[in-house]
Amino acid sequence: MEISFSLERLAKEIGGTVIGDGALKITGVAPLDSAKDGDLTFVTNPRYAKLAAATHAAALLCEKEIPGVPKPFLLIPNPYAALARVIELFYPRPVPAAGIQAGAWVPPTPQSFPGMRRVRSHGCVRRQGRRENRSLSGCLLRGKFRRRRGLSFLSNVTVRENCVVGNRVVLQPGAVIGSDGFGFAKAGEKYVKIPQVGNVVIEDDVELGANVCVDRAVLGTTRIGRGAKLDNLIQVGHNVVIGEHTVMAALTGISGSTQIGNHVVMGGQVGIAGHLKIGDHVTLATRTGLWKISRKKGSTSGRPRLSSPPK
Amino acid sequence: MEISFSLERLAKEIGGTVIGDGALKITGVAPLDSAKDGDLTFVTNPRYAKLAAATHAAALLCEKEIPGVPKPFLLIPNPYAALARVIELFYPRPVPAAGIQAGAWVPPTPQSFPGMRRVRSHGCVRRQGRRENRSLSGCLLRGKFRRRRGLSFLSNVTVRENCVVGNRVVLQPGAVIGSDGFGFAKAGEKYVKIPQVGNVVIEDDVELGANVCVDRAVLGTTRIGRGAKLDNLIQVGHNVVIGEHTVMAALTGISGSTQIGNHVVMGGQVGIAGHLKIGDHVTLATRTGLWKISRKKGSTSGRPRLSSPPK
Amino acid sequence: MEISFSLERLAKEIGGTVIGDGALKITGVAPLDSAKDGDLTFVTNPRYAKLAAATHAAALLCEKEIPGVPKPFLLIPNPYAALARVIELFYPRPVPAAGIQAGAWVPPTPQSFPGMRRVRSHGCVRRQGRRENRSLSGCLLRGKFRRRRGLSFLSNVTVRENCVVGNRVVLQPGAVIGSDGFGFAKAGEKYVKIPQVGNVVIEDDVELGANVCVDRAVLGTTRIGRGAKLDNLIQVGHNVVIGEHTVMAALTGISGSTQIGNHVVMGGQVGIAGHLKIGDHVTLATRTGLWKISRKKGSTSGRPRLSSPPK
């Protein structure tokens, strides 16, 4: 099956403007270096503009025209966001695609059976036979899914008891939601386990990467705020609260009871100690190590102590 | 079901002392900030004493009275350890709770079938139908479980062949025991795999966090000592020996053949090179990077080279 | 069953030279410190030569004779590589052994069923009943395995759709191949998911450790080059290219679109930013943090900025 659109049609789809031949037939989308004739390529970061002259693409999706590139342009203020729609057009399939691929096992218990229906409604179960559905994915889902839509659980995902998962949540393979928090009290030479009887709440539109671990609260709730996106292999300790639309890169660890604000951006391999409070719109560079924050009354925007080289 | 105890009764249960009205009816347990009337709250760390004045809790569990807090106290030398018992009283369920939640699949082979019985004796299998038990959890258990009690295997746990798991061990979801060690010999331009034919021994009362990896020994044994507690996403290399009652936080990596003593405390994201020896009761701060130890005869308490900011 | 070889016979097997009694009966192989009488021990690293005098082993496998050790030697230029063969002789089982232990579930879909046959040809499926095979391992395999040989998939492995896995590839438990790359475009206050429609190609003779995550490309391919060996808990971002015979230790993270050359050696907990290019035969010390490379035309051997102590 070949899929093609006129440049003009693509402009309509994303709400952009064509500079040049709008009738040009676009047959694919590809990065600057690998784009072939017929492809639409994209410049989502100005620092790659200089590579645009050498591309073999038929046309370019970018914010503004690039001098010295004698090709049609599809201009739009946010080309990266527009790229999402363009890719959907050339690779038509439900989003999140993952949901289609994975079986999701829901044990026949009252609280989670509705979840089964929700998953079905998303189609990822319907496409697989019951038996495959049971045995394929290795998912263990024991949370509450009542009235949820667009859930995507990939293979080998675990959602433990009493956890709540919102709408349009995507869990990549191996993600673990609701594992016991790391709570042990020193009693003489030994450690006594503090029962972890709280839960995890994953709000709407969250995506958690592969093998991410989100511990359940000792009491109360570990919360991942609406729209937050976590990369792979991230550790979220018990009673942590992550704000809305906060993003963090891989291999980051957040210790227990720390609160992270909304719209925070964190690089990879960041480490944050416990019981800290990070305000909204804070940016933490890759490898930041945060042990202490000089609190000003009400504010939390103190200078973090960095273990990463100063930027 | 409402659960309540008199403060006096709670004191008896944990062996503490009541200051104030022992007949006070306690209906729950909660942290300082979220406690409501009727709750028992707790101050397990002196630095939170200043928050105690503002709590809505009915009474406080702590080490000693906090001046300016006109409420009943339940005093005990180790309130954090006592909290474990208090939580059990208000959230009655077998401990480790995890065992109840997870199916554990044991293949029908002589060496592991006894393990099946042990798991049954703990109840986590009996509560689930055979079919659920098979297909739900995605656990692969091939180790030796003879005469074990109180095992808890959560979903998607892997315990590979010839590994030995002790009594009252808890494996959080996604934990991997007995994966091949990272042993490859350079032969010309290529690498030759060194067969990893040793095993892993997890001694009694160990808890391993979600997605922890413990590699099997190339020859001999990788050992996790009795009572050790490992947080999530920790890497334990082949032939490593971790001492008794040693605890380490998330995202820590320990390279092959390193020996860690008893009662060691390690923060998160610590990295330890291979073939090192760390003595008993050593503390490694978060982010410590340990490449070399200045050995004094017999001792291993040399100054580690830190990549984390000095404390 | 007791296995024994004469020293002479072992020499023949590995192509080495005997110094001393070639008729000596060797009954096992063990490290210097734990070797007993009858064992062959090994010195693969000169710095352990000083420990050789104290070993109870019957003979030593090493590069050259060690003065003051009055025992037979089995000399060979690369004793570590030879050790692989010696271990196989004393622990006879198919290599990679893992393949024998793990079930591998392949869904009944055209593209992957051939993979099932390949896995069968390796024997790891034939040894397990169909039902065990389905429900035991929790593997989800949806990639392309046509004409593959010697695949080893351990339990709870995930290989997602359209991914390609080469010959003699070993995936340790919990490895995730083809999870969605971390691509989200900021659109106002929210993030829009960029569909990740590319794939992952794992070339021949690659081994990936437990709970490793390799993200699929947004467009195109994330590639792990022939013979590369990755330790546990490593994150490989979307569109990353890892060269041939490159090795990296645990807890390392490689951000999207970074290209790593051939024969690169990386320590543990390394972090590499996105869109970087690292040449061939580069060594990155443990904990190296690579944000920027001073590019000389064509070359990429600029000084990395280190967060780890200079070596």
Side-chain angles (χ1 to χ4, degrees):
Chain A
M1 161 193 74
E2 218 222 24
I3 298 178
S4 75
F5 303 90
S6 72
L7 195 55
E8 196 53 53
R9 171 66 197 287
L10 290 176
K12 275 210 184 55
E13 284 286 343
I14 66 173
T17 315
V18 173
I19 306 295
D21 174 13
L24 183 69
K25 186 182 167 197
I26 301 297
T27 55
V29 54
L32 282 165
D33 52 358
S34 59
K36 304 173 308 306
D37 186 31
D39 285 340
L40 175 72
T41 191
F42 44 90
V43 179
T44 56
N45 183 330
R47 74 173 150 144
Y48 294 115
K50 60 183 179 311
L51 303 175
T55 185
H56 297 105
L60 293 85
L61 171 69
C62 42
E63 189 176 355
K64 55 180 87 72
E65 284 185 80
I66 301 168
V69 179
K71 294 186 173 176
F73 287 90
L74 176 38
L75 302 185
I76 191 160
N78 187 342
Y80 192 38
L83 180 61
R85 179 64 187 139
V86 171
I87 291 175
E88 285 170 27
L89 289 167
F90 284 99
Y91 298 84
R93 54 180 196 176
V95 171
I100 300 305
Q101 305 307 330
W105 204 101
V106 183
T109 60
Q111 87 277 10
S112 54
F113 189 72
M116 185 65 161
R117 285 210 308 275
R118 297 289 86 71
V119 178
R120 274 187 189 289
S121 74
H122 177 262
C124 82
V125 170
R126 196 185 308 107
R127 291 214 182 181
Q128 305 178 330
R130 275 190 68 74
R131 204 174 46 193
E132 175 174 0
N133 185 34
R134 278 228 199 72
S135 56
L136 205 183
S137 78
C139 285
L140 172 65
L141 306 183
R142 292 185 156 279
K144 299 170 184 154
F145 304 98
R146 218 174 303 273
R147 291 186 307 283
R148 301 309 179 198
R149 284 198 161 45
L151 284 171
S152 281
F153 294 101
L154 280 73
S155 56
N156 297 322
V157 161
T158 297
V159 180
R160 273 185 56 200
E161 69 279 10
N162 302 327
C163 297
V164 180
V165 177
N167 300 294
R168 300 171 302 280
V169 166
V170 179
L171 304 180
Q172 295 293 333
V176 175
I177 310 302
S179 41
D180 286 357
F182 195 64
F184 299 93
K186 191 105 201 251
E189 290 287 80
K190 298 183 176 186
Y191 288 88
V192 177
K193 181 180 176 74
I194 308 293
Q196 306 291 303
V197 299
N199 74 340
V200 175
V201 172
I202 309 287
E203 298 183 349
D204 295 349
D205 302 304
V206 166
E207 178 157 343
L208 301 182
N211 288 335
V212 159
C213 304
V214 183
D215 281 348
R216 67 195 312 109
V218 52
L219 292 159
T221 294
T222 303
R223 182 175 300 275
I224 312 285
R226 158 190 292 270
K229 314 292 184 186
L230 274 60
D231 200 356
N232 300 342
L233 293 167
I234 287 175
Q235 152 70 353
V236 179
H238 52 182
N239 294 81
V240 164
V241 176
I242 295 177
E244 301 188 351
H245 308 297
T246 281
V247 295
M248 47 187 77
L251 288 161
T252 283
I254 302 168
S255 305
S257 301
T258 282
Q259 298 178 39
I260 297 177
N262 302 324
H263 305 290
V264 170
V265 176
M266 293 166 52
Q269 296 178 324
V270 167
I272 305 183
H275 298 277
L276 298 183
K277 194 154 181 291
I278 296 171
D280 298 342
H281 298 285
V282 169
T283 297
L284 298 178
T286 294
R287 286 280 179 98
T288 300
L290 206 47
W291 281 269
K292 200 175 174 197
I293 295 176
S294 57
R295 298 177 192 277
K296 298 186 199 52
K297 189 166 175 311
S299 122
T300 59
S301 58
R303 282 237 212 75
R305 287 162 59 188
L306 298 180
S307 66
S308 60
K311 291 284 168 290
Chain B
M1 161 192 76
E2 218 222 22
I3 298 180
S4 73
F5 303 89
S6 72
L7 194 55
E8 197 52 55
R9 169 69 196 285
L10 290 176
K12 274 207 186 54
E13 282 287 343
I14 65 173
T17 314
V18 173
I19 306 294
D21 175 12
L24 183 69
K25 186 181 168 200
I26 301 296
T27 56
V29 54
L32 282 164
D33 51 358
S34 59
K36 304 175 306 306
D37 187 28
D39 285 340
L40 175 72
T41 191
F42 44 91
V43 179
T44 56
N45 182 331
R47 72 172 153 146
Y48 295 114
K50 61 185 178 310
L51 304 175
T55 186
H56 298 103
L60 293 85
L61 171 71
C62 41
E63 190 177 354
K64 55 181 88 72
E65 285 185 79
I66 301 169
V69 180
K71 293 185 174 177
F73 287 90
L74 175 41
L75 302 184
I76 192 160
N78 187 342
Y80 192 38
L83 180 61
R85 179 63 188 140
V86 171
I87 292 175
E88 285 170 26
L89 289 167
F90 284 100
Y91 298 84
R93 54 180 193 176
V95 171
I100 300 305
Q101 304 306 329
W105 204 101
V106 182
T109 59
Q111 87 279 10
S112 53
F113 189 72
M116 185 65 162
R117 286 212 307 276
R118 296 289 85 71
V119 177
R120 275 188 189 288
S121 74
H122 178 261
C124 81
V125 170
R126 197 186 308 106
R127 292 216 181 179
Q128 305 179 331
R130 273 190 69 73
R131 205 173 47 195
E132 175 174 359
N133 185 32
R134 274 225 202 74
S135 56
L136 205 183
S137 78
C139 285
L140 172 65
L141 306 183
R142 290 184 156 280
K144 299 170 184 153
F145 305 98
R146 217 175 304 271
R147 292 184 308 283
R148 301 308 179 199
R149 285 200 158 46
L151 283 171
S152 282
F153 294 101
L154 281 74
S155 58
N156 298 322
V157 161
T158 297
V159 179
R160 274 186 55 199
E161 68 280 10
N162 303 326
C163 296
V164 180
V165 178
N167 299 295
R168 300 172 302 279
V169 165
V170 179
L171 305 180
Q172 295 291 334
V176 175
I177 310 303
S179 41
D180 286 357
F182 196 62
F184 299 93
K186 191 106 200 252
E189 292 286 80
K190 299 183 174 184
Y191 287 88
V192 177
K193 181 181 177 74
I194 308 293
Q196 306 290 304
V197 298
N199 73 341
V200 175
V201 173
I202 309 286
E203 298 183 349
D204 294 348
D205 302 304
V206 167
E207 178 156 344
L208 301 182
N211 288 334
V212 159
C213 303
V214 183
D215 281 347
R216 68 196 308 110
V218 52
L219 293 159
T221 294
T222 304
R223 182 175 300 275
I224 312 285
R226 157 190 291 270
K229 313 293 184 187
L230 274 60
D231 200 357
N232 300 342
L233 293 168
I234 287 175
Q235 151 70 354
V236 179
H238 51 183
N239 294 81
V240 164
V241 176
I242 295 177
E244 302 189 348
H245 307 297
T246 281
V247 294
M248 47 187 78
L251 288 162
T252 283
I254 302 168
S255 305
S257 301
T258 282
Q259 298 177 39
I260 297 177
N262 301 324
H263 304 290
V264 171
V265 176
M266 293 165 52
Q269 295 179 324
V270 167
I272 305 183
H275 299 277
L276 298 184
K277 193 153 182 293
I278 297 172
D280 298 343
H281 298 285
V282 169
T283 297
L284 298 178
T286 294
R287 285 280 180 100
T288 300
L290 206 47
W291 281 269
K292 202 176 173 194
I293 294 175
S294 57
R295 298 176 193 276
K296 299 189 198 50
K297 188 165 174 314
S299 121
T300 60
S301 59
R303 282 238 212 74
R305 290 162 57 189
L306 297 180
S307 66
S308 60
K311 291 282 167 292
Chain C
M1 166 192 70
E2 216 221 24
I3 298 180
S4 74
F5 303 90
S6 72
L7 195 55
E8 196 52 54
R9 168 67 196 287
L10 290 176
K12 274 206 187 56
E13 282 286 343
I14 65 173
T17 314
V18 174
I19 306 294
D21 174 13
L24 183 68
K25 186 181 167 199
I26 301 298
T27 56
V29 55
L32 283 165
D33 51 358
S34 60
K36 304 174 306 304
D37 187 28
D39 285 339
L40 175 72
T41 190
F42 45 89
V43 179
T44 56
N45 184 330
R47 72 172 153 146
Y48 295 116
K50 59 183 181 308
L51 304 175
T55 185
H56 298 105
L60 293 84
L61 170 71
C62 41
E63 190 176 354
K64 55 179 91 71
E65 286 185 76
I66 301 169
V69 180
K71 293 185 175 177
F73 287 91
L74 176 40
L75 302 184
I76 191 160
N78 187 342
Y80 192 37
L83 180 61
R85 178 63 187 140
V86 171
I87 291 175
E88 285 170 26
L89 289 167
F90 284 99
Y91 298 85
R93 53 181 197 177
V95 172
I100 300 305
Q101 305 307 330
W105 205 101
V106 182
T109 60
Q111 87 278 10
S112 54
F113 190 72
M116 185 66 162
R117 286 211 306 274
R118 296 290 85 73
V119 178
R120 275 186 189 290
S121 75
H122 176 262
C124 83
V125 170
R126 196 186 307 109
R127 291 215 181 179
Q128 304 179 331
R130 277 192 65 75
R131 204 174 47 194
E132 176 173 357
N133 185 30
R134 275 224 200 74
S135 56
L136 204 183
S137 80
C139 286
L140 172 66
L141 306 183
R142 294 185 154 277
K144 298 169 185 155
F145 304 97
R146 215 175 305 271
R147 292 187 306 284
R148 301 308 178 200
R149 289 202 155 42
L151 284 170
S152 282
F153 293 101
L154 281 74
S155 57
N156 297 322
V157 161
T158 297
V159 179
R160 274 187 53 200
E161 69 280 9
N162 303 327
C163 296
V164 180
V165 177
N167 300 295
R168 300 171 302 278
V169 165
V170 179
L171 305 180
Q172 296 292 333
V176 175
I177 310 303
S179 42
D180 285 357
F182 196 64
F184 299 92
K186 191 110 202 249
E189 290 288 78
K190 297 183 174 185
Y191 287 87
V192 177
K193 181 180 176 74
I194 308 293
Q196 306 290 304
V197 298
N199 74 339
V200 175
V201 173
I202 310 286
E203 297 183 351
D204 294 348
D205 303 304
V206 166
E207 178 157 345
L208 301 182
N211 288 335
V212 159
C213 303
V214 183
D215 281 348
R216 66 196 311 109
V218 53
L219 293 158
T221 294
T222 303
R223 181 175 300 274
I224 312 285
R226 157 190 291 269
K229 314 293 184 186
L230 275 60
D231 200 356
N232 300 342
L233 293 168
I234 286 174
Q235 151 71 354
V236 179
H238 52 181
N239 294 81
V240 163
V241 176
I242 294 177
E244 301 188 350
H245 308 297
T246 281
V247 295
M248 48 187 77
L251 289 162
T252 284
I254 302 169
S255 305
S257 301
T258 282
Q259 297 177 40
I260 297 177
N262 302 323
H263 305 290
V264 171
V265 177
M266 293 166 52
Q269 295 179 324
V270 168
I272 305 183
H275 298 278
L276 298 183
K277 194 154 182 291
I278 296 171
D280 298 342
H281 298 285
V282 169
T283 297
L284 298 178
T286 294
R287 286 281 179 98
T288 300
L290 206 46
W291 280 269
K292 202 177 172 196
I293 295 175
S294 57
R295 298 175 194 277
K296 297 187 197 54
K297 189 167 175 312
S299 121
T300 60
S301 58
R303 282 239 212 73
R305 288 164 56 188
L306 299 180
S307 67
S308 61
K311 290 283 166 293

